[in-house]
Structures are given as C-alpha cells and as structure tokens.
C-alpha cells in the first residue's frame, strides 16, 4: 500500500520523456544550464544519453540546435566550426543561435519580452506586445495622432484593433509595426508612399493597416528613408516607396505606391533577414548569401564600386570565402555583418573610424574585423558614422563618431572618435541583450528588462524631460 504513494523522483522518469520535456518546453540555453547545475540526474546518468554528450541537458541542447533555422541551414563544415567556436559546448552553441535570432527581434528578459528601436529623433519600445514611443513626432512617427508633437516619456501607442505587436522598425520619417498575426501597420510621412497606402500622400499620424499585405503574413519589416521592405514568413520580399536609386529591387527606378514582390530575389532562395539603409537594401538568404541593391554611394553595396544596382546582386566576397552571413545592419554610410561563427565584417565609408580598423580609410568590399576575433558577436548595429557590436557575454563594443555622447564613453570628449572597437565600461554592471542607435542617441536593453539611453535628448528621444543630453547611460522609465 505504501508503494502506491511513494514519491516519484526525476530518476524514475523514462529518459525519452525527460528529453521531450527539455526540447519542447521553449527553454533557452540559460534555462538548460541552470537545470543541469541543480539536478544531478541531468549531469550524471550516462545511460540516459549518448556517450559523446556531457549530459542529458547537453544532448537536449544539441537536439535544439539541430532544429534551429540558423544551424540547420549550415553545411557540415560550418556546423563544426560553430561548435568549436562555442568551446565545444552545445549549450553555448544554442545560446549563440538564440541570441542572434533575438537580437533582430523580440528579446526575452526577466521583465518580459521586449524590443528597442531608434529613429532619427525618436525611440520605440515593445514590452509584452504593447508599443511605446517618445521623442519628436515629426510627420506622425510617434503614432499618437496629429495633436502630438512630442512625448517626453514612453507613451503607449493605440492601434485601430486589438493586436499584439512583435516587431518594429523606425526610419527618419516613418515607422512600421509587425503584429503577431503577420499583419503590418505603418505611420509617418507617406509623401513617397513608403507607408504602403496608395490612397494618400499625406502624413499618417496613427498606425494604419497595410491592406495590400493583409493576406500575406510577414515576419520582419525594415524602414529605410522614404521606402519600406517587408519580409514574409515564406521568405519572400516586398518593397514600396521611393525608388530613385533602385532600392526597391525591381530592376528600374519607378516608385511603388504599395508593397510589390521583388521577383528577382525568388531565384536566390528564401530570405531570412532584411536591412534598409537610406537608399539601399540588404537581404540575407537561408544559405548565408548576402544580396544588395540600390544606391552604390559610399561603397555600401559591397561590390567594390559606387555604381547603383537596380536589382539584387550577391556580395561575392562572402561566397568566394565560404562565409555564411546570418545578420547584417545597414548604416547611413557603412555596413556591418555577422557570420555563423560570431565574426564581424565591415565596409563602406571609414569616417571617424566607423569601420573599426584603427583608421578612417574606406573599404570598398567587406573586410574581416580581426580585432574582435576573440569575441563571439551576437548582434551588429550600424548608424551615422558609428557601430556597435554586442558579444555573447553581454558586453557592448562601440567605435566611430562620438557626437553628442551617443557612442557611450562619458570619459571621452563628445566630439572625439574611437577608431577601433572599445568595450563600453559605462555599461559593465549590466548584461546587454539588444542595442539600437539613431542619429545622435543610443538605447540599450538589459537582460533584466531595463532600458538605458545615452546621447542627445534635445527632443526627448531618451524619454527624459529635464536634460538635453546624457553622456552617462541613464535609465528610461517604462510605464507599468
């Protein structure tokens, strides 16, 4: 009778059931590591997992890596390099994959799911599916209506229907919001039809559904200067807005009032990430190739010349060297890319050391940033003559122009420049999970869900009413 009520320990559970729980419970790499530390079963019973794995948790991390879209797209050689790069530890490999994916999307913090994005003079925050904005409301970019000219603190944006927002992209003059359903909403200056609504050339002051994509679910949006790029869940790309330089990718310079499929990218395979510069577009495909089109000014297309490209053209440097690109960030005058090993590449204009090579020399094609080779990068972020690289231990490196203190080095002069990657000691007490930088200000998100900003605050883009600038990273209050 007593046996009927005997407590069951985890050792009594079938190993296949334990593995199923570990791999299907939505656990992050950090969760698996904590479980392994606190449970002797996960780390001790050799008969519960294949001998080549350190523990059952290690085996579960391997299984999760296999199913991850970035890892599954790598060839066998690239998979092996990634594993070695992560110190032959599957939990670290999984953490890298998950961190890269979250860096351009929603980040899981201890305070909820969050994302930060910056425009020219404004900032946006997603927290648990709600969106907040602060700063200047030029042409309606804050999304609060025509009567709002500025918000001095994060203020919640109302949508025409009840939606959960999971992604946002901000340009100088318009904003695009992505809902969990795959629907896209836009607001801002629509004079160039960058908001995707063909019936108006006037500013849109509140988020409005892009009707042309109503039945085409998207997974990412990228707002350029007067144009927008939409990436669907099927890996197809649509663009709309100004096309003077061919940045829409349709093989011509004709503007598109509503989202139009970039047909020439269909031959390149499924697209996994897009990034929009002022007048050019970058697209990363599932096989790790990078395509660019639009304005060739500043060598941002990566082809070694400043010729415009009206249609997608592969950046041969990565193909030729067998480099699998996973993420890319299009800056105003330069580009920074991240590969499947957490290595960083930059090219374009070298003003103020924005490329990180210790000089101000332009790079006409991608170059490997060797001074960061000892770090495993998980996010890259380029803007106006400055670059940020976030690495897997939560440290943030910055280099380039320090205008208004937006590079985050309070001990340096606000007009100085950093020509090689330097860690931001001003953030050393925090573990950074995401970074976004605008023209003169920068916002970071910590693993605990705190939002910190530094740089120019003349238009309240850092969410403070009493100061014109922040040389020291300063916390931005988040509404409950």
């Amino acid at each position: 009778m007593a046996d009927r009520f005997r407590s069951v320990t985890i050792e009594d559970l079938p190993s296949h059931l334990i593995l199923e729980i570990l791999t299907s419970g939505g656990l992050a790499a950090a969760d698996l590591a904590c479980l392994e530390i606190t449970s002797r079963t996960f780390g001790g019973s050799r008969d519960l997992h294949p001998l080549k794995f350190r523990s059952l948790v290690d085996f579960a991390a391997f299984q999760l890596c296999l199913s991850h879209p970035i890892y599954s797209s790598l060839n066998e050689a690239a998979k092996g390099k990634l594993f070695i790069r992560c110190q032959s530890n599957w939990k670290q490999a999984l953490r890298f994959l998950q961190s890269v994916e979250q860096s351009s999307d929603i980040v899981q913090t201890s305070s909820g799911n969050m994302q930060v994005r910056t425009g020219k003079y404004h900032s946006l925050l997603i927290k648990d599916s709600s969106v907040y904005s602060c700063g200047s409301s030029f042409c309606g970019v804050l999304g609060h209506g025509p009567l709002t000219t500025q918000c001095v603190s994060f203020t919640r944006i109302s949508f025409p229907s009840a939606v959960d927002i999971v992604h946002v992209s901000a340009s100088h003059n318009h904003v695009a919001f992505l809902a969990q359903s795959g629907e896209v909403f836009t607001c801002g200056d629509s004079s160039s039809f960058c908001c995707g609504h063909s019936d108006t050339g006037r500013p849109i002051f509140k988020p409005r559904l892009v009707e042309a994509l109503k039945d085409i679910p998207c997974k990412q949006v990228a707002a350029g200067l007067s144009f927008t790029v939409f990436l669907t869940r099927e890996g197809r790309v649509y663009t709309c807005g100004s096309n003077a330089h061919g940045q829409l990718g349709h093989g011509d310079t004709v503007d598109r009032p509503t989202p139009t499929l970039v047909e020439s990218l269909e031959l390149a395979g499924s697209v996994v990430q897009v990034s929009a510069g002022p007048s050019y577009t970058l697209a990363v495909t599932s096989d790790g190739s990078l395509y660019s089109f639009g304005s060739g000014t500043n060598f941002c297309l990566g082809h070694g010349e400043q010729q415009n490209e009206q249609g997608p053209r592969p950046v041969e440097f990565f193909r030729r060297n067998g480099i699998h690109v996973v993420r890319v960030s299009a800056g105003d005058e330069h580009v920074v890319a991240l590969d499947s090993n957490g290595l960083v590449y930059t090219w374009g204009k070298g003003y103020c050391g924005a490329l990180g090579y210790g000089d101000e020399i332009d790079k006409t094609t991608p170059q490997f940033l060797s001074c960061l080779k000892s770090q495993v990068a998980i996010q890259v972020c380029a803007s106006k003559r400055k670059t940020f690289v976030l690495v897997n231990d939560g440290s943030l490196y910055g280099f380039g122009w320090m205008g208004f203190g937006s590079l985050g080095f309070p001990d340096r002069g606000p007009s100085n420049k950093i020509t090689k990657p330097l860690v931001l000691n001003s953030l050393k007490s925090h573990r950074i999970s995401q970074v976004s930088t605008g023209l003169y200000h920068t916002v970071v998100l910590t693993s605990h869900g705190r939002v910190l900003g530094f740089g120019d605050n003349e238009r309240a883009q850092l969410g403070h009413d009493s100061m014109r600038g922040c040389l020291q990273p300063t916390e931005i209050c988040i509404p409950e």
Side-chain angles (χ1 to χ4, degrees), residues 122 124 136-143 171-175 187-189:
H122 60 292
L124 297 111
S136 172
S137 189
F138 171 74
C139 290
V141 292
L142 296 188
S171 176
H172 293 356
N173 59 345
H174 72 292
V175 180
C187 63
D189 181 9

Side-chain angles (χ1 to χ4, degrees), residues 85-254:
R85 181 92 166 120
C86 294
Q87 301 179 347
S88 300
N89 186 310
W90 286 112
K91 292 184 291 298
Q92 289 193 29
L94 177 62
R95 180 176 170 185
F96 166 75
L97 296 169
Q98 292 176 334
S99 297
V100 169
E101 190 171 41
Q102 290 187 25
S103 69
S104 58
D105 204 352
I106 290 288
V107 174
Q108 296 176 0
T109 75
S110 57
S111 296
N113 296 330
M114 304 172 71
Q115 182 188 47
V116 290
R117 285 295 181 266
T118 53
K120 186 176 183 180
Y121 297 118
H122 60 292
S123 303
L124 297 111
L125 167 72
I126 297 177
K127 186 176 189 300
D128 294 330
S129 302
S130 293
V131 192
Y132 304 83
S133 62
C134 65
S136 172
S137 189
F138 171 74
C139 290
V141 292
L142 296 188
H144 298 303
L147 300 180
T148 300
T149 58
Q150 182 174 282
C151 286
V152 297
S153 62
F154 273 131
T155 305
R156 186 175 178 177
I157 300 174
S158 297
F159 285 77
S161 58
V163 293
D164 293 334
I165 301 300
V166 296
H167 180 77
V168 63
S169 180
S171 176
H172 293 356
N173 59 345
H174 72 292
V175 180
F177 308 89
L178 177 63
Q180 179 69 52
S181 62
E183 296 176 309
V184 179
F185 296 79
T186 58
C187 63
D189 181 9
S190 191
S191 59
S192 63
F193 299 104
C194 58
C195 290
H197 311 295
S198 61
D199 62 337
T200 179
R202 300 185 302 273
I204 299 170
F205 291 98
K206 289 188 175 183
R208 178 178 171 185
L209 177 67
V210 180
E211 294 285 349
L213 294 173
K214 190 174 182 179
D215 298 319
I216 305 175
C218 292
K219 67 177 181 180
Q220 193 207 335
V221 287
L225 182 59
S226 300
F227 75 103
T228 308
V229 185
F230 307 86
L231 176 60
T232 74
R233 290 177 179 173
E234 294 181 346
R236 310 177 83 183
V237 175
Y238 288 74
T239 57
C240 69
S242 176
N243 193 31
H245 305 279
Q247 60 263 46
L248 301 189
H250 302 297
D252 55 40
T253 55
V254 179

